[in-house]
Amino acid sequence: MKNYRNILLLCLFGAFLYSCTGDKKAEKDQSFIELNVEDAINNSRVFDVTEKFPNTEFIPLETSDDVLVGEIMRIIKNGDYIYIYDDSSNILKFDSNGRFVGKIGGIGGGPDEYNMVFDFAIDKKNDFVIVNSLVQLVYFTSNGKSVKRLKTDVTDQVIETDGQGRTFYFLPDSPQPEDLNSTEIIKVVDTDGKLVKSFTNLNVRHKGLSIFGVLSKKNQTIMYKEEMGDVIYSINSDLEKDSIYGFNLGRYAFTEQDFDMQAMEKWNSLYRFDRLLISGDITFFNLQKGLMGKDIYPLMWDGKELIFPHATGDSSKKGLYFNGIKITPMAEDNDEIVCLASIVDILEQKEKGNLKIESLIGISEASNPVLCILK
């Protein structure tokens, strides 16, 4: 009888433990959201920007002989300032009204210069602008004064920083040897360049072209997606990794065979994840159409519905539109979304006499890019 009672107690205790872990698992699973991207793309619809962002503002960047902006590769907004990295390896600083403030470094061999730019990030804790150059990180003050340089062991990767000043490297997705089933995807280094932690890639390609991904950041959380995976992960301030979104592109996803120049004709019908931006209850998931270039289309998630938007009255114009002008989300700061506005659309609306935005009246083909702030 005593043994039976002990067995019964053990069974009850085991059931209790299973119940607790089951509850924890259920609680964890509730935070993981499955997104049917394929279905959203197939059923695109109009989205009214002003409904969610009533204080939308257009900001033309100052145009002069001293400041000519090329194709924009990355935008970072930090408080009252906006930093632009273009395809000429310029890092340009503008104020919130679009006035040019100055350059951060430049190409050359001087103390305040660098060899080239692969990417840049802003360390908000220490007020540094970090340029990822050739096998080194070059640290500048927000006024453009070089502070220090740290050697790195890799030459080409995108970077991001967190609230502790640590730098995250997101390594390119490259083909690996057939016998390799995992590889390093993220390196985290401290302010002295010392390796703190690394994360591995669970979905490895064994052939095809190398391709760059993008790191996203919201507050102290870093987010990313493996090129061949269908999950978006987060890394918190304790450097703990978690899965937060299932990202099902379905028939629009690239397969390993598509990472080949011979598959170029197929690229225009496929999408890849670009970046994630969060503003209040709206999350933007940018999709890049094709394998190269910057043809970006946003998805929007409000916690209930995933929307792939198109222009009012023309379902063939995929993307986010405001008064007939296509706007592409590029960056986030304090819940404000910084978008790049299409100058082609601005000029078209101007020619038709439909341009309702006073700040855009003076825009011409020779103007620097125009930003749109959703807030």
Side-chain angles (χ1 to χ4, degrees):
M1 181 64 72
K2 184 176 179 181
N3 288 338
Y4 174 79
R5 184 174 61 187
N6 289 341
I7 292 172
L8 179 61
L9 288 172
L10 285 173
C11 289
L12 290 173
F13 182 65
F16 171 75
L17 286 178
Y18 178 82
S19 174
C20 290
T21 55
D23 288 344
K24 289 181 180 179
K25 184 178 186 302
E27 183 179 327
K28 181 179 178 66
D29 288 345
Q30 287 174 6
S31 66
F32 182 82
I33 300 171
E34 292 279 0
L35 300 173
N36 191 333
V37 181
E38 179 182 16
D39 186 61
I41 293 174
N42 290 335
N43 297 283
S44 66
R45 70 172 180 83
V46 174
F47 177 81
D48 185 1
V49 174
T50 58
E51 179 182 333
K52 292 292 185 179
F53 302 96
N55 300 313
T56 298
E57 176 186 9
F58 283 81
I59 303 175
L61 298 180
E62 178 185 335
T63 303
S64 70
D65 293 338
D66 296 328
V67 52
L68 296 174
V69 182
E71 180 185 355
I72 292 181
M73 310 300 290
R74 188 175 184 189
I75 300 174
I76 299 179
K77 186 175 184 297
N78 185 23
D80 293 331
Y81 296 99
I82 298 168
Y83 297 81
I84 305 288
Y85 158 44
D86 71 9
D87 60 349
S88 297
S89 285
N90 294 313
I91 299 178
L92 309 170
K93 181 180 179 181
F94 295 84
D95 68 15
S96 57
N97 295 310
R99 288 189 292 263
F100 179 61
V101 176
K103 290 181 66 174
I104 304 297
I107 301 297
D112 290 336
E113 295 177 320
Y114 35 75
N115 295 313
M116 62 190 308
V117 179
F118 286 108
D119 195 16
F120 86 110
I122 292 183
D123 174 2
K124 295 185 178 182
K125 178 183 178 183
N126 299 299
D127 196 29
F128 288 148
V129 179
I130 306 174
V131 177
N132 181 21
S133 186
L134 188 62
V135 296
Q136 65 179 340
L137 295 179
V138 186
Y139 287 70
F140 293 88
T141 66
S142 58
N143 293 324
K145 179 68 175 177
S146 177
V147 177
K148 65 177 179 179
R149 297 169 185 260
L150 293 178
K151 293 291 184 180
T152 65
D153 59 354
V154 280
T155 60
D156 50 354
Q157 66 281 312
V158 299
I159 61 172
E160 188 54 273
T161 60
D162 67 2
Q164 300 182 41
R166 297 175 297 201
T167 299
F168 290 68
Y169 296 92
F170 195 25
L171 307 182
D173 184 87
S174 302
Q176 303 295 332
E178 288 291 340
D179 60 346
L180 198 64
N181 294 317
S182 68
T183 184
E184 192 174 48
I185 184 172
I186 291 178
K187 289 183 177 182
V188 188
V189 301
D190 62 18
T191 52
D192 295 321
K194 181 181 178 182
L195 181 67
V196 177
K197 191 169 184 176
S198 62
F199 297 86
T200 55
N201 192 336
L202 302 178
N203 300 276
V204 177
R205 287 191 294 117
H206 300 293
K207 60 182 178 179
L209 302 167
S210 295
I211 200 77
F212 289 89
V214 175
L215 288 174
S216 300
K217 179 172 70 173
K218 178 65 177 180
N219 298 328
Q220 306 309 317
T221 300
I222 305 292
M223 293 161 288
Y224 72 97
K225 176 184 173 295
E226 295 179 10
E227 189 66 53
M228 299 306 298
D230 57 2
V231 173
I232 296 175
Y233 296 98
S234 66
I235 301 174
N236 65 19
S237 59
D238 294 325
L239 299 183
E240 296 170 333
K241 174 182 170 181
D242 196 8
S243 54
I244 53 177
Y245 290 104
F247 202 77
N248 179 17
L249 277 159
R251 66 186 178 92
Y252 296 105
F254 279 86
T255 66
E256 184 168 334
Q257 289 70 32
D258 298 322
F259 289 80
D260 191 300
M261 296 299 291
Q262 295 181 354
M264 285 183 66
E265 290 186 9
K266 187 180 177 183
W267 289 357
N268 201 44
S269 63
L270 304 176
Y271 295 90
R272 56 190 293 269
F273 176 78
D274 182 69
R275 72 172 67 243
L276 183 157
L277 304 167
I278 302 172
S279 174
D281 61 351
I282 297 290
T283 299
F284 291 87
F285 300 92
N286 280 358
L287 299 179
Q288 177 181 312
K289 194 171 188 180
L291 198 59
M292 299 179 180
K294 282 293 178 182
D295 199 3
I296 303 296
Y297 296 88
L299 286 159
M300 285 167 296
W301 169 251
D302 63 1
K304 298 178 181 178
E305 183 181 14
L306 187 65
I307 302 168
F308 189 62
H310 63 71
T312 302
D314 190 347
S315 60
S316 67
K317 291 185 175 181
K318 307 300 183 186
L320 196 62
Y321 283 80
F322 184 92
N323 288 345
I325 302 169
K326 186 176 182 180
I327 55 176
T328 303
M330 296 281 287
E332 181 275 339
D333 179 60
N334 290 329
D335 281 348
E336 292 185 355
I337 301 294
V338 182
C339 304
L340 185 62
S342 168
I343 287 188
V344 172
D345 289 345
I346 292 171
L347 296 177
E348 183 179 318
Q349 294 301 315
K350 185 177 180 179
E351 184 178 347
K352 291 179 178 178
N354 296 333
L355 194 60
K356 304 174 183 178
I357 304 163
E358 186 176 347
S359 63
L360 302 182
I361 298 300
I363 296 299
S364 69
E365 291 182 359
S367 296
N368 270 332
V370 174
L371 304 183
C372 175
I373 311 295
L374 304 181
K375 51 185 178 180

